[in-house]
Amino acid sequence: MALFCKAMAGGLLFTLSLALLRWEAEGQGNGRGKTEVSGGAAVYLGQDRDIWRPLMHTTVNLSDIRGIKSSFQVRTFDPEGAIFYGDTKKGEDWFILSLKGGIPMMQISKGGVLVSVVGGPKINDGKWHTLEVSNQEKFVILKVDNSREVEVGMQSKQAEEVISGELRLALGGILISEEKMIVQFEPQIDACLREGNWLSLSMPWETEVEELWPCFQNIQPGSYFPGTGFAIFNTSVLNIEEHRGTEIEIWGDFSQINGTILSIKAPEQNLMFILVANNNTKEVTLTFGEEKITMKDIFKRLVITFQTDSLQVVRDEDVTTNTMLPISPGYMTMWRQGHLAVGGLLGEGEDNVGSQFLTGCLEKIQIQGKDLDLDLAVKHMSISSHSCPA
């Protein structure tokens, strides 16, 4: 994933790198309300914040740059998100490295020329991959695991200029308006970087977050809930069709998770649907209106189907576990105007402050047969959206 090209054609390029394994970003205050972090530290980019706001950033004088190559290792299951950003001339010339469809994507603006290129193998397989970006004359070159994958050439008809001033670098976000990009993408990414070598510079990075989240030592696919937050979706964007019903599928070891898995609430109404796991009793309780069922058998897949006149619950595709509940009045209002929370109990009021947060790993969530990407939630807190500790 992440990489940055110091700026080409005029001799401005850099590659990035950061380190992960566990969380060793040992920060120290600098007296400006910010924390300094070593450029070689292990960094988790998915920390909760404004989605375009970089997790870390630094500024260096161009005259201090001696190398034109940077490298780092990245590990993720997430197919999309911002890795690295760099610019000169206060954002007039810029470079963005991101992931799109699991493949590295570079976007470059230089002297009014915009270039976008996607290339190399998919690297969102949960394994560590080494990325290297270098500048060779008029070309920016991306290597993935020591294999030369992408070359981008840029040449302007304008006269070459001596580039001076400052170079700004950022990780996990960008410092320009997203409308300036050639290709739009979702910025938030559940990924870790480690062993970064940034243009052979030893300067520290800065972050405004109070405490950096650690990276898991080993990961597996899924969404991890640490018991401190949840994700909220507007049900209106879930494309629910009344005549088809609504099917929600959840995969995971339900005996190992604890707290609220799902809750659904329509405006100005009480909670209509709640699904809660208790890892002490090994029970999963489903509440729909006034109806309640408790499931005690160990299972790893739960299918909940809202039909026109009933709600159906099936465990592990076993029809013998089929449970039916009558549908409450106002069912479609819940889907047209309500909120769905994953990992917490929706609260009252517009802010939907939650409680009874989930602790544990959900391997997969689908609605109408499509994966629910927690990165697209309207409110997203304290969740590793694509990875769980293994």
Side-chain angles (χ1 to χ4, degrees):
M1 290 184 143
L3 28 84
F4 171 89
C5 160
K6 176 187 162 188
M8 23 245 85
L12 217 197
L13 150 22
F14 40 93
T15 310
L16 342 80
S17 165
L18 260 150
L20 145 82
L21 227 188
R22 358 166 238 290
W23 179 253
E24 357 174 285
E26 301 170 356
Q28 298 182 6
N30 56 16
R32 300 192 300 272
K34 299 179 181 179
T35 299
E36 293 186 348
V37 182
S38 167
V43 178
Y44 175 66
L45 297 182
Q47 185 152 352
D48 183 49
R49 60 192 185 281
D50 178 87
I51 59 175
W52 288 106
R53 174 187 167 198
L55 176 67
M56 296 165 54
H57 57 86
T58 191
T59 301
V60 297
N61 291 322
L62 290 170
S63 59
D64 294 336
I65 297 175
R66 297 292 178 264
I68 55 174
K69 180 172 69 176
S70 298
S71 64
F72 63 95
Q73 291 187 349
V74 63
R75 182 190 66 179
T76 187
F77 284 113
D78 200 337
E80 186 168 342
I83 303 296
F84 182 81
Y85 169 91
D87 71 27
T88 57
K89 303 178 183 177
K90 298 182 179 179
E92 183 178 336
D93 290 347
W94 49 262
F95 171 95
I96 300 172
L97 175 69
S98 63
L99 211 60
K100 184 80 169 178
I103 300 173
M105 176 174 68
M106 292 188 290
Q107 298 188 62
I108 303 166
S109 174
K110 174 65 180 177
V113 178
L114 299 177
V115 174
S116 173
V117 61
V118 178
K122 285 191 174 185
I123 59 173
N124 63 323
D125 56 4
K127 300 178 181 178
W128 287 109
H129 294 278
T130 300
L131 301 184
E132 178 187 288
V133 179
S134 61
N135 186 199
Q136 298 180 19
E137 297 180 347
K138 294 178 172 60
F139 293 88
V140 178
I141 298 171
L142 166 65
K143 289 184 178 181
V144 179
D145 296 327
N146 296 317
S147 177
R148 193 165 174 150
E149 299 290 351
V150 179
E151 294 186 20
V152 181
M154 298 187 70
Q155 182 169 340
S156 174
K157 292 182 179 180
Q158 300 177 359
E160 288 285 329
E161 60 178 311
V162 177
I163 300 177
S164 59
E166 293 182 330
L167 170 68
R168 299 188 300 177
L169 306 178
L171 294 174
I174 62 177
L175 299 173
I176 56 170
S177 171
E178 58 269 26
E179 285 77 18
K180 293 184 178 182
M181 298 188 302
I182 311 166
V183 180
Q184 298 296 315
F185 62 88
E186 293 296 330
Q188 201 160 12
I189 188 166
D190 177 3
C192 280
L193 304 182
R194 71 179 185 186
E195 299 182 10
N197 183 356
W198 313 100
L199 305 172
S200 300
L201 297 171
S202 59
M203 78 294 178
W205 294 72
E206 292 184 342
T207 180
E208 285 81 20
V209 299
E210 294 183 1
E211 182 179 356
L212 290 169
W213 295 0
C215 292
F216 304 131
Q217 184 170 357
N218 298 296
I219 61 173
Q220 61 185 9
S223 297
Y224 181 69
F225 297 77
T228 56
F230 63 162
I232 301 177
F233 294 83
N234 291 324
T235 53
S236 59
V237 305
L238 299 178
N239 299 319
I240 303 304
E241 299 177 15
E242 184 173 1
H243 67 279
R244 287 186 55 198
T246 304
E247 184 177 87
I248 301 176
E249 297 184 54
I250 306 169
W251 284 260
D253 187 343
F254 289 87
S255 67
Q256 298 299 314
I257 60 178
N258 190 70
T260 305
I261 302 170
L262 286 178
S263 62
I264 305 174
K265 185 177 182 297
E268 300 179 358
Q269 296 187 26
N270 294 326
L271 282 163
M272 301 183 69
F273 178 90
I274 308 170
L275 185 67
V276 178
N278 187 320
N279 64 355
N280 292 318
T281 62
K282 308 301 180 186
E283 293 178 344
V284 175
T285 303
L286 184 153
T287 303
F288 186 63
E290 299 299 322
E291 303 290 337
K292 180 180 290 188
I293 61 174
T294 299
M295 296 164 276
K296 296 184 178 181
D297 296 332
I298 296 175
F299 55 95
K300 294 191 175 182
R301 180 173 179 262
L302 190 64
V303 182
I304 303 163
T305 306
F306 295 84
Q307 299 172 337
T308 54
D309 57 357
S310 63
L311 181 147
Q312 182 184 60
V313 182
V314 177
R315 286 163 272 170
D316 287 337
E317 299 182 348
D318 184 354
V319 293
T320 64
T321 67
N322 185 16
T323 303
M324 303 289 287
L325 295 176
I327 282 289
S328 304
Y331 151 69
M332 285 311 297
T333 300
M334 174 178 75
W335 290 114
R336 284 192 294 262
Q337 305 173 19
H339 290 95
L340 178 147
V342 182
L345 195 65
L346 283 163
E348 301 295 331
E350 292 297 321
D351 57 5
N352 287 307
V353 174
S355 62
Q356 299 181 32
F357 298 125
L358 183 67
T359 301
C361 178
L362 296 181
E363 295 176 9
K364 183 164 46 173
I365 306 167
Q366 288 190 337
I367 295 182
Q368 303 297 73
K370 295 182 179 179
D371 290 344
L372 185 65
D373 187 349
L374 300 187
D375 285 340
L376 303 181
V378 294
K379 187 175 184 181
H380 180 262
M381 305 185 310
S382 307
I383 300 168
S384 299
S385 54
H386 289 80
S387 63
C388 293

